[in-house]
Amino acid sequence: MKHFEKIQSDMYQAMKSGEKEKAKKRYQAALTRSKPIPQAAVGLVHAQNPPGQRDLAKLTTIARQTRSAFAKAALASEMLSRENARGAVTLFEDLLWSGIEDVDPNKVARQYVQALSQAGQPKDAQAIGELMAAQRPEDMDVVQMMLRIAQQANNQDEQIRWLRVRNTHQPHKLATVVPLIQVLVAQNQKEEARRIIEAFFREIPDVRSPQLLRLLAEIWIGDDDVKARSILNQSAALHPEAETLTLLGKLEERRNNPNEAINYYTEALKLKPIQPKARRHLAKLLIESDRLADAIKPVSYTPLRAHEPRN
């Protein structure tokens, strides 16, 4: 087995470097042994195609001939990738009840819960997932699994719960903070969102994310438009984005500055032509300004060179 572990390591490095042919040769070498290892046969199938495109017939044959837990887990995983969740559930249950050898039991359990969720058994998935989370509270793979289940069920309360847990364990990562803020803002939980963003900038002053600044500004709109406008200008100065310019246009509308708002909406559409909010607001303002011809003719979308924040 140690010899095969070396082959696995070589194969992983070859795949990581984009050397598919080298990876295939390593597994073919393992298959020529007097007692072929099931992992080698499965590894060769994996080396040939990415998940969701692997040869199900070959994986099924390997699983039947070898009666290997490793091969059965690989077959179940591929079924899950192809959205055959019910088939995956059956295989994962068989694995979990008959004993697991040469397979990571935690990975199999997570995939089983994910398969239950996709197979239309969200209560079972939730119950087993809760047990796993209680037993392994710091396991981010379990947290991520529970977050996916909440997203599939479109359960925003559960999404917030697991996003909070993830952010508690990984508080200084934009990839962790931004999704939590987005859901909190959507649920109108602005105070918590504001506290999290301000704490992030306070603890990591060198990181100035345009997206996080825009979210902070969006929270302030309506409570303090002057502050929101200042933060949006900071975001646009770092990196002008269509969403940021659209919000600046919205603020100019609130200040009864239609010409400035028109300019912002036009610039937003230059950056991102498919921006429904900017399109609607721009058309409305042009019509109100008796510029009907401008409202119905296509806007010329040319690349924006740079954005200079307005005072």
Side-chain angles (χ1 to χ4, degrees):
M1 187 57 70
K2 286 184 178 179
H3 173 69
F4 182 70
E5 287 173 359
K6 174 67 167 59
I7 293 175
Q8 275 190 311
S9 175
D10 290 348
M11 179 270 182
Y12 174 76
Q13 293 299 327
M15 291 290 286
K16 192 175 179 182
S17 304
E19 299 177 275
K20 271 192 173 184
E21 290 305 315
K22 183 178 177 181
K24 291 177 190 176
K25 287 178 182 178
R26 294 298 292 154
Y27 274 102
Q28 285 167 341
L31 286 170
T32 61
R33 290 160 56 90
S34 56
K35 293 182 179 180
I37 303 170
Q39 287 93 326
V42 171
L44 184 58
V45 175
H46 283 189
Q48 291 169 338
N49 288 295
Q53 299 177 27
R54 288 167 178 162
D55 195 324
L56 273 178
K58 284 184 181 178
L59 288 173
T60 302
T61 299
I62 295 167
R64 284 176 179 169
Q65 290 179 346
T66 65
R67 299 183 181 278
S68 156
F70 185 91
K72 191 177 289 185
L75 176 59
S77 180
E78 180 62 17
M79 284 183 168
L80 189 57
S81 295
R82 293 180 179 225
E83 299 185 0
N84 181 357
R86 293 188 182 280
V89 165
T90 301
L91 283 173
F92 283 131
E93 287 179 342
D94 186 36
L95 272 170
L96 291 166
W97 292 340
S98 62
I100 301 175
E101 297 176 1
D102 300 326
V103 182
D104 178 357
N106 294 314
K107 181 178 179 181
V108 170
R110 289 195 305 271
Q111 289 184 311
Y112 173 52
V113 171
Q114 187 64 41
L116 284 170
S117 176
Q118 290 180 209
Q121 298 174 247
K123 290 183 179 179
D124 292 335
Q126 185 74 25
I128 297 171
E130 292 284 357
L131 286 172
M132 292 175 66
Q135 292 170 354
R136 304 170 65 86
E138 297 189 5
D139 188 334
M140 287 300 99
D141 287 330
V142 173
V143 171
Q144 193 62 36
M145 172 193 74
M146 296 304 290
L147 178 57
R148 280 197 300 270
I149 290 172
Q151 290 169 336
Q152 287 169 354
N154 197 28
N155 187 328
Q156 291 202 323
D157 288 339
E158 282 295 298
Q159 286 181 51
I160 289 173
R161 174 190 171 192
W162 293 107
L163 285 167
R164 281 174 179 151
V165 172
R166 189 174 70 171
N167 189 57
T168 299
H169 291 287
Q170 301 172 335
H172 298 149
K173 291 186 176 181
L174 280 172
T176 299
V177 173
V178 169
L180 173 57
I181 299 303
Q182 288 173 327
V183 179
L184 287 172
V185 171
Q187 288 290 86
N188 204 33
Q189 298 186 35
K190 292 185 177 181
E191 283 304 316
E192 182 182 354
R194 184 155 43 208
R195 285 197 305 271
I196 292 171
I197 296 174
E198 289 174 347
F200 182 91
F201 284 140
R202 186 168 56 251
E203 292 167 16
I204 316 176
D206 294 337
V207 176
R208 306 302 285 177
S209 160
Q211 185 180 16
L212 210 52
L213 283 168
R214 183 178 73 246
L215 286 168
L216 180 59
E218 194 171 347
I219 293 166
W220 280 109
I221 291 175
D223 293 335
D224 189 335
D225 284 3
V226 173
K227 188 165 189 173
R229 189 164 173 266
S230 173
I231 296 170
L232 284 171
N233 279 326
Q234 291 176 47
S235 176
L238 287 170
H239 182 66
E241 296 175 325
E243 293 79 5
T244 303
L245 300 180
T246 298
L247 285 174
L248 281 164
K250 178 181 176 181
L251 285 175
E252 292 302 332
E253 274 196 83
R254 289 167 65 90
R255 296 174 69 198
N256 293 316
N257 290 332
N259 290 333
E260 284 294 291
I262 286 170
N263 290 337
Y264 277 121
Y265 292 139
T266 301
E267 289 184 0
L269 289 171
K270 288 177 182 177
L271 282 175
K272 191 175 181 180
I274 303 174
Q275 181 75 356
K277 287 184 180 179
R279 279 180 175 275
R280 286 196 299 269
H281 284 277
L282 178 58
K284 171 178 167 289
L285 288 174
L286 289 171
I287 291 169
E288 289 175 352
S289 302
D290 292 326
R291 294 167 59 181
L292 185 59
D294 290 332
I296 61 176
K297 73 181 182 181
V299 178
S300 176
Y301 303 121
T302 55
L304 189 68
R305 296 190 190 91
H307 174 71
E308 294 295 334
R310 291 175 172 82
N311 296 319

